């Protein structure tokens, strides 16, 4: 096959203000970051754009910062940079585990965390850990900055709370004392693959009691999702194998998987249960 | 749009449509034929190049995006000591069959060894497998590639130790 991209105008602003202005003024313009979703979609006519606004040269959109109470990740930070960041491995091991499972070295050198979120694929791999951490997303628009919790960001299949003229600026994650985490991504092969289902779990256990727990999954609903009811059924309870086995099934009622090229709805339901059980076992430190 | 970048140590300047991929610029305008056209959607790695020393796929990169950056392909590595050693091991270990994935495979391996040699060596066989995940080889030479790269890395380890 020989793909050809349609004619486009190309802009590379150095500041966020300029990027927002371009998105407002240039008709049919879209943000491009790593281009690993957008250019594939444009080659296959799944996405259309008349002009591209490249955000890679906007310094304030790049890098990982430890701000004491929170970690700030610039939206245009490359996945590979996250993988190599000591701040991420120390503070956000669950996010690191997910990024490590993503794509290939080449793609991770190009793809950005913001692109993964804004593309809003149900299979987005940075979404489950960030949903579990309850990250805050800082969005820049004409009126300045606004903050949206990631739990309100995904509004439907490949839809987000962003307007077409807004730019995702930062991903802010509050540091919390989690005592454990678990992450499992199941794909059709061992590596370099999209998920059939992935489960991310965070837990805080004190004296054998589950103080807090968060569970999020991808590829099992129109958007990446949290499993709130399963979390509720675990919170405040004493950690035990029995409890987990009883409760982990609840995730199946919180998802709405479909049959597609990667798997069937039935298999996704079964594996969501199994993987939730395993990820929670790890996160809660169940013997 | 006029774009200037460094290709294999030389400054080049081209006049391209904004929609032109680096893959097309390299192959069709600049005659760099080691960079192969494969899936054209980032999955096969045949079109890999080094961008400021890091492997990327040139099919998902617009030429206008590499303004001022440094691109390296295997054409630029002939005579480089590490590259020649790697190439030698690829041949000795029969890590090349049809050869279509080879330039990409060599570039990724080169970037890995280079980076491992720079700092404290923290590379294992698993790292090699993970590094070349994005270079598909339909002949199935993977174990041979891993062996070839291991040999090169082993020579950089303290004597007597193995990978
Ligand atoms: C071979 C291959 C393997 C892949 N494997 C995986 C995988 O394992 N897991 C996974 O989750 N994904 C995977 N992907 C998908 C993709 O690489 C990721 O989703 C990536 O993070 C997208 O980031 P990007 O910077 O390339 O986004 P782009 O393609 O540049 O942009 C994607 C979308 O987000 C918008 N956008 C980007 N940045 C911003 C911003 N700052 N503000 C507003 N809008 C913005 C763009 O307008 C576009 O609509 C893979 C892709 C390929 C080609």
């Amino acid at each position: 096959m020989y793909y050809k991209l349609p004619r486009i105008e190309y802009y590379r602003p150095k500041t966020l203000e300029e990027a927002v202005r371009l998105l407002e003024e240039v008709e049919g313009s879209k943000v491009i970051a790593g281009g690993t979703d957008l250019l594939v979609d444009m080659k296959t006519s799944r996405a259309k754009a008349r002009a591209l606004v490249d955000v890679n040269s906007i310094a304030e959109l790049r890098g990982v910062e430890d701000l004491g109470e929170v970690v700030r990740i610039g939206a245009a930070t490359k996945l590979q940079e996250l993988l190599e960041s000591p701040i991420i491995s120390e503070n956000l091991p669950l996010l690191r585990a997910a990024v490590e499972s993503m794509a290939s070295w080449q793609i991770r050198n190009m793809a950005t965390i913001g692109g993964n979120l804004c593309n809003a694929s149900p299979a987005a791999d940075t979404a489950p850990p960030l949903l579990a951490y309850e990250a805050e997303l800082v969005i820049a628009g004409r009126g300045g900055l606004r903050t949206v919790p990631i739990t309100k960001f995904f509004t439907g299949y490949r839809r987000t709370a962003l307007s077409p003229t807004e730019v995702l600026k930062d991903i802010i994650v509050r540091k919390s004392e989690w005592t454990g985490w678990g992450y499992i991504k199941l794909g059709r092969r061992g590596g370099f693959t999209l998920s059939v289902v992935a489960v991310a779990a965070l837990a805080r256990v004190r004296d054998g009691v589950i103080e807090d727990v968060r569970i999020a999954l991808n590829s099992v609903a129109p958007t990446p999702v949290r499993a709130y009811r399963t979390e509720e059924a675990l919170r405040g309870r004493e950690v035990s194998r029995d409890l987990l086995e009883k409760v982990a099934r609840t995730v199946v009622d919180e998802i709405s998987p479909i049959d597609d090229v990667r798997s069937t709805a039935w298999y996704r339901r079964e594996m969501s249960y199994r993987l939730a059980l395993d990820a929670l076992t790890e996160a809660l430190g169940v013997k | 749009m006029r774009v200037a970048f460094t290709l294999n140590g030389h400054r080049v300047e081209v006049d391209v449509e904004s929609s032109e991929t680096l893959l097309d610029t390299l192959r069709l305008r600049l005659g760099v034929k080691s960079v192969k056209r494969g899936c054209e959607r980032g999955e096969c790695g045949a079109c890999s190049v080094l961008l400021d020393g890091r492997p990327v796929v040139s099919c998902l990169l617009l030429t206008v995006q590499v303004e001022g950056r440094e691109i390296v392909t295997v054409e630029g590595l002939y005579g480089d000591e590490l590259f020649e050693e790697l190439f030698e091991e690829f041949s000795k270990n029969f890590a090349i069959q049809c050869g279509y994935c080879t330039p990409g495979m060599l570039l990724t391996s080169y970037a890995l060894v280079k980076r491992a040699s720079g700092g404290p060596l923290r590379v294992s066989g698993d790292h090699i497998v993970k590094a070349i995940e994005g270079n598909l080889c339909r002949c199935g030479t993977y174990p041979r590639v891993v062996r070839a790269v291991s040999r090169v890395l082993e020579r950089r380890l303290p004597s007597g130790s193995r990978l």
Side-chain angles (χ1 to χ4, degrees), chain A residues 1-3 5-8 10 12 39-40 43 54 80 84 100 104-110 192, chain B residues 17-19 37 40-43 48 54-55 57 59-60 64-65 67 108 115 130 133-135:
Chain A
M1 215 183 305
Y2 190 98
Y3 296 110
L5 283 165
R7 282 182 80 96
I8 39 167
Y10 174 79
R12 192 170 48 219
L39 292 183
V40 173
K43 284 180 176 191
D54 189 335
Q80 187 66 25
E84 292 168 10
E100 193 171 22
S104 62
W105 191 11
Q106 286 95 325
I107 300 294
R108 286 193 305 272
N109 280 332
M110 308 172 81
F192 191 16
Chain B
E17 289 281 337
S18 301
S19 58
R37 186 184 303 284
E40 293 193 67
R41 41 201 296 171
E43 285 167 25
S48 296
R54 292 171 171 256
V57 289
C59 68
L60 296 183
V64 290
Q65 291 184 289
E67 169 73 37
T108 314
R115 158 177 264 249
K130 183 130 178 81
E133 261 174 6
N135 293 92

Side-chain angles (χ1 to χ4, degrees), chain B residues 6 27 32 47-48 51-52 66 76 79 101 133 138:
Chain B
T6 306
R27 283 189 65 84
V32 179
C47 70
S48 296
L51 171 66
D52 296 335
V66 304
C101 74
E133 261 174 6
R138 301 199 74 179

Side-chain angles (χ1 to χ4, degrees), chain A residues 19-236:
Chain A
V20 170
R21 189 180 52 77
L22 284 164
L23 289 171
E24 298 241 342
E25 287 173 7
V26 183
E27 209 192 296
S29 58
K30 250 194 163 70
V31 171
I32 183 169
T36 61
D37 276 317
L38 186 61
L39 292 183
V40 173
D41 285 352
M42 285 177 68
K43 284 180 176 191
T44 55
S45 303
R46 187 181 183 183
K48 294 207 166 27
R50 265 200 56 248
L52 297 179
V53 177
D54 189 335
V55 295
N56 288 292
S57 299
I58 304 175
E60 59 182 317
L61 252 60
R62 299 290 291 266
V64 181
E65 256 185 301
D66 186 340
L67 298 177
E69 308 237 302
V70 300
V71 173
R72 187 198 73 90
I73 305 169
T77 307
K78 305 289 178 189
L79 297 178
Q80 187 66 25
E81 290 173 49
L82 296 181
L83 209 50
E84 292 168 10
S85 158
I87 299 174
I88 299 293
S89 33
E90 262 165 50
N91 299 289
L92 311 175
L94 181 62
L95 176 62
R96 189 186 188 282
V99 173
E100 193 171 22
S101 81
M102 288 175 76
S104 62
W105 191 11
Q106 286 95 325
I107 300 294
R108 286 193 305 272
N109 280 332
M110 308 172 81
T112 65
I113 184 169
N116 191 240
L117 296 177
C118 295
N119 188 59
S121 158
D125 280 322
T126 65
L130 292 173
L131 280 166
Y133 284 123
E134 295 192 345
E136 302 265 318
L137 306 181
V138 181
I139 295 168
R142 197 200 344 223
L145 300 178
R146 66 184 179 112
T147 301
V148 175
I150 190 168
T151 47
K152 299 241 159 65
F153 184 70
F154 302 111
T155 53
Y157 176 69
R158 295 187 62 132
R159 299 222 331 257
T160 70
L162 277 182
S163 88
T165 59
E166 286 181 315
V167 178
L168 177 60
K169 177 178 179 287
D170 295 318
I171 295 119
I172 307 281
V173 188
R174 186 156 295 282
K175 293 184 191 169
S176 293
E177 284 179 29
W178 300 105
T179 52
W181 59 274
Y183 179 79
I184 307 171
K185 171 175 169 181
L186 173 72
R188 302 231 305 165
R189 57 185 183 193
F192 191 16
T193 183
L194 291 176
S195 75
V196 164
V197 49
V199 180
L202 279 176
R204 185 165 57 246
V205 177
R206 291 258 188 278
D207 305 324
V209 175
I210 305 169
E211 273 187 8
D212 200 3
V213 62
R214 309 244 178 99
I215 308 158
L217 304 89
N218 72 11
S219 297
V220 289
T223 67
V225 289
R226 274 276 288 276
Y228 291 111
R229 272 183 282 159
T230 312
E231 294 173 6
E232 207 41 56
L234 291 168
R235 221 169 269 132

